[in-house]
Amino acid sequence: MEADWDEVARTAFPPPGIHALPTPVSVLAFDSNQELLWTGNEYGRVTSFYGPDLQKYTSFRAHLSHEGPVRQLLFNNKGVISIASKSVHLSLRRGLAQWTLTHENMTDLRCMSYTSKGTSEILVAGMQPWMFLIDVDRGVITKELSRDQIPTDHAYTLMKRSRYICAATSTGTVDLLDATTFQLIKSWKAHAAAINDMDAQNNFLVTCGFSPRQQQSFMLDPLANVFDLKTMMPLPPIPFHAGAAYVRMHPRMSTTGIVASQNGQMQVVDLMNPNTVNLRHAIVSSYLTQLELAPSGEALALADADCSIQLWGSPSKVHFAEFSNSTEFADVPTTPAPVDWYPDTPLNVVGLPYYREQLLSAWPSHLTFDLGGLPPKIDPEILAAMTHTEFGGYASNPGRGRRNQVDKGRLMEKDNVPLMAPKFLSEKARDAASSNKVERRPSDIAEALGTVMLNDGLKAEVPAMYRNVEIKYSKFGVDDFDFEYYNKTAYSGLEIHIANSYSNPLLQLYRFTPLLRNLALQHTATGCLSGSCLLCEMGFLFNMLESASGQNCQATNLLKTFSNLPQASALGLLEEESPAGSLPSMIQVLNRFLLERISTDYRQMLPQSPALDQTVAMAAVTTIRCVKCQSETIREGGTVVNELAYPSHHSLKGHRPSFSQIVKASVERETQTRGWCDKCRRYQSLSTRKTIQAVPDVFFLNTAVNSAEARQAWATPGWLPTEIGIIVEGGQLFCYEGEDLRLHLQRGIHAITVYCLVGLVAAIVSGDHQAPHLVALVDVHHSGPESERSSDWHLFNDFLVRKIPEEEALRFHGSWKLPSILAYQVKKGSHAVDNSWKENLDPTILYHDISYTQPTMQQGTPYRLLSAQTEAPTAGTHVAIDAEFIAFQQEEIEIKADGSRETIRPSRLGLARVSVLRGSGEDEGLPFIDDYIATTEPVVDYLTAFSGIQAGDLDPARSRHNLIPLKIAYKKLWLLLNLGCIFVGHGLPKDFRTINMHVPKGQVIDTVDLFFIKARQRKLSLRFLAWFLLREDIQTETHDSIEDARTALKLYRKYQEFDDAGVLENIILDIYARGREVNYKAPSALPTTTTSSSGTGTGTGTGNTAGTGTGDGDGGGGSSVGSESTPTKTRNGATTSSTSGRQDPPGWLPQRIQGTLSGASRTWTPSSVAEK
């Protein structure tokens, strides 16, 4: 309680009726969400007062009068919960009743408390043997608890929630109940008789009560007893000789409390030092009946027996809720302008009203239903053929519809079409093959809606492009989803089916901040191998987003690393641990955490460099002063994020500050906290202020829009400037915008740093049935080459990316669009995109083994690292690659009423093994990477039949393979990618997607596409192609990544031979023809002889060589017999080998392409060419 605290308002408590006498206040409570003070009377009526002037707000009857007084009030986002002796009631703050619960066992209810489920569940108790659990959201009793179920015989009169549910009994005992199981943890005999009042905050419980005196009477104890909820031990009591009647703990100062007597004497005391007191006295002519402290700690309410209410506080700082929402008031009716009316006056002089909000007639979607229209007219043909009977008539069905089927009488409204998903790619391919017509879908309408902007704020509906987007899954998985429909720009979006993907907008904002992006990529290019380095993961992600050029990406690896950090869990930043958390608050805490974390990561790089700190941190000296002894402590440090602080409604006095004034006041504000003073040797009130020394290159601001004043400021058009200027002089910060900034730049007297707005993260409330989400609005002009355009704003709504005008990007709406994070960058940093990191890549890990285990080389699988001197990868180096995966989470499937299956969430796969082989040279086909990925996450399926991975292969204690962390395996592939290597493999897009890497098409040779006819819509398996073209049986029992990568490399060499010989097209046609015969599956066993009814042919060869044969029909193909693999030379001098040791299948060489094989390599020479 500060020195200027005094009575600021006093009002009479309204009587229960027009002609009734006033009654005392039965309960008093401050609203935790709005600037409201709530009261209850003895007849079940609840009344509220607004603001420090105690203006009457609402008054409604919550309980029947015969139930007696209102006992207690609780608050949540929906409204106010009240309790009387026989009922529990929930009303909106405007007075509209939501539900009322009664029960035959509710006989004398006294108190209630929230449980471990937060504000969605309450425990109700009283002077009765039953307690009740109530679901607040549904308004139902979920459980009845009797004394047999809870090991306590006590009935409860008061309840307070802290670490435990603290329940006071009528005998002076306080029971500590577990907030989840409601089991008794501890009982504490606080007073000899009853407990009059108590409060629990943090780890402390303070009680006031009675003790028996002479002649069977009771008196208030001259002590307020204190109990430590952490150690479960009583602490020294607080002496209060006037008689402690009421007590409240300060919500922000954990050891400070206020004790009051019935005659109005108040004492502010420190629990750790009870002898230090601060006294106040309230003027009352009778005695106090209620005392309540506001959640902000800045207001105190008193009620007395004379039916009056007093409000205490500092006149300049009085507010109730710590973060208050706006309070809804009734509209003030406007008097229509007079109209001179004559018989000949035209009707158009009577104007229509203007409105800026949604009309009351626009009912929410969950309250609107299709009622149907008029019945359709019966077909005259049916009427003519109808046979009439006593009960009506009947006729045969003309066949234009099914039995009992009629046309719908009312057309569906199309005015508010949601953002529907487009057709799957497979559907579009089928439609394109069957018809050239393009059907207009509702999603096309959604696309049109996506371009609709709000017109001067007259339309409060959320445009489609801001709404939640959702990925739909077909039987082909996520690859079949048409992401391009949502993004036709050159900037990639991020997918949302990953845990903690609420961070997508913030990651996009970082990526388009050039100075931050440069430092992330420079760090990633170094030899950093830390598995928890978020800066490396950001560099990987930024590089992927840039190289994808508009294709969708996902932040899987970064978010997985982030989720494994214990600090993230402790701060409540994980979605699975904070399902009901506020997204704007979570993203602002995440912004501070990520910036501090990556600054630490950057400093760990040798030689240590403060470059990132200088880029994002504001250098300042913090002075901490003890309010009691005036001693000061000075600490040097930096602030990576500044939080905006807005003036209260009462301090505005008709003047609304500009954005630059808010920034200055926020950076330089002085805060009051409770902390340890070394000089006083006890906890004291500490004053903290900052002396600014230097400003960063990138200036991040958390907007902290938590009050009506803040919402109103952001709703002002043009309030957010795109440029600001900052001057640091004498430890103070001066901020300018608009004309003031231009004048300072013209004068040139002071050194001013000019910042440009790079972008922002905004919170979107889409509608009644859609959860709030976040989007990024970014001016990509700053991260691209210099151009004549001054801005180029884009909306990043996860994987939906749209170009928008600057006015739309900077226009906010208090009801559905508000900013959460702002990012300013020095103007000279615009277009400063530095790609020199590509020339400074550290490829050391490609030439060294870094493993948890000592791998055991398997026979027939030679493994040799690259030589830095002779085999350093360069642009154009061919490498063969294949990867195996395991499942960390099974897919979630919903079976509909019609039996159809819909994938809600796909299975979550993780990299288990990756093998990379040399693609050319003398050692072509020899692996230089064969890494198994260590994992601590539970594996639900090793997919052994498809991956070859078995239990124990990924366990460092049991594995005999080359086991490494995911970060190192990923970085090896990332280095090969950025060194310009060309990857050869089979079905690589899906592998790269699961690895979380984007490889440009120019660096991928996929054998799936080499032997593919687009019109057939069927892609061939690696095993079938190996059987048909290479005469090899692979994947007979399980998959092996080295075998698959080597097979893909051989297929690529075979493709080159066919292409050189000019027979590629015919070969592919015969592959499909043979595939139809065997259902595109390689036979499990191949015959050793060749027979045919129409012709035969034989031949011999060694290894992969083949003989020639002639014959009639399809049976005239040649065959060969081979032994050990024999190396062969291809057209570029590379060496290949084959492990085939069997005869060719019958008809392997099609009759129409019969020819000869020249040399040792299988090079096709068509018969027509051979004859020439």
Side-chain angles (χ1 to χ4, degrees), residues 803-824:
K803 179 179 173 61
I804 59 175
E806 180 178 316
E807 311 84 67
E808 173 63 22
L810 303 182
R811 180 164 36 204
F812 304 101
H813 302 268
S815 59
W816 63 271
K817 177 187 176 185
L818 285 170
S820 297
I821 297 171
L822 306 176
Y824 282 91

Side-chain angles (χ1 to χ4, degrees), residues 911-1109:
L911 182 63
R913 182 188 180 189
V914 60
S915 300
V916 185
L917 285 59
R918 294 167 174 83
S920 60
E922 296 180 357
D923 295 323
E924 179 175 319
L926 181 66
F928 63 92
I929 293 177
D930 185 27
D931 295 332
Y932 286 72
I933 314 304
T935 179
T936 56
E937 191 173 355
V939 179
V940 299
D941 193 349
Y942 284 96
L943 306 173
T944 304
F946 306 101
S947 66
I949 305 297
Q950 298 181 355
D953 286 349
L954 309 181
D955 185 356
R958 302 163 54 193
S959 179
R960 58 189 177 87
H961 303 291
N962 189 45
L963 201 59
I964 65 173
L966 175 63
K967 161 76 175 291
I968 297 178
Y970 186 92
K971 190 157 190 176
K972 289 181 181 181
L973 302 180
W974 185 78
L975 286 170
L976 293 174
L977 168 66
N978 286 282
L979 288 171
C981 292
I982 298 175
F983 296 91
V984 181
H986 192 86
L988 290 182
K990 191 168 185 178
D991 285 0
F992 284 135
R993 173 183 173 82
T994 309
I995 295 172
N996 196 24
M997 176 178 289
H998 177 84
V999 182
K1001 292 183 178 180
Q1003 288 182 248
V1004 176
I1005 297 175
D1006 197 335
T1007 51
V1008 166
D1009 300 322
L1010 297 183
F1011 301 96
F1012 172 59
I1013 299 177
K1014 191 173 183 180
R1016 300 294 179 91
Q1017 298 184 20
R1018 173 184 284 275
K1019 294 186 176 182
L1020 306 176
S1021 69
L1022 181 66
R1023 186 182 182 192
F1024 174 74
L1025 290 173
W1027 169 78
F1028 187 86
L1029 294 176
L1030 305 178
R1031 295 173 298 162
E1032 295 182 7
D1033 270 340
I1034 64 171
Q1035 304 172 353
T1036 54
E1037 296 181 0
T1038 183
H1039 286 235
D1040 182 87
S1041 55
I1042 291 181
E1043 179 186 50
D1044 292 352
R1046 184 178 288 124
T1047 303
L1049 184 61
K1050 292 178 183 179
L1051 288 174
Y1052 172 56
R1053 297 305 181 199
K1054 193 61 63 181
Y1055 169 86
Q1056 290 179 314
E1057 296 173 12
F1058 294 152
D1059 191 33
D1060 285 347
V1063 296
L1064 178 62
E1065 183 177 349
N1066 292 329
I1067 287 291
I1068 296 177
L1069 290 173
D1070 282 293
I1071 294 174
Y1072 276 89
R1074 182 61 174 155
R1076 285 196 299 271
E1077 296 175 7
V1078 297
N1079 197 23
Y1080 297 97
K1081 295 182 179 179
S1084 58
L1086 299 175
T1088 57
T1089 60
T1090 301
T1091 60
S1092 176
S1093 60
S1094 58
T1096 61
T1098 60
T1100 61
T1102 302
N1104 279 343
T1105 62
T1108 61

Side-chain angles (χ1 to χ4, degrees), residues 393-448:
Y394 64 90
S396 60
N397 190 344
R400 287 188 289 272
R402 294 181 180 180
R403 184 179 182 183
N404 298 326
Q405 184 182 51
V406 295
D407 295 333
K408 191 169 184 178
R410 185 184 297 274
L411 295 177
M412 293 294 293
E413 297 290 337
K414 298 295 183 181
D415 296 335
N416 186 19
V417 181
L419 193 57
M420 298 175 62
K423 285 186 176 181
F424 292 114
L425 297 178
S426 55
E427 292 178 335
K428 291 185 177 181
R430 287 195 299 270
D431 293 347
S434 60
S435 174
N436 292 327
K437 291 182 63 178
V438 178
E439 180 185 0
R440 180 170 175 84
R441 293 170 54 84
S443 55
D444 300 327
I445 304 174
E447 184 179 21

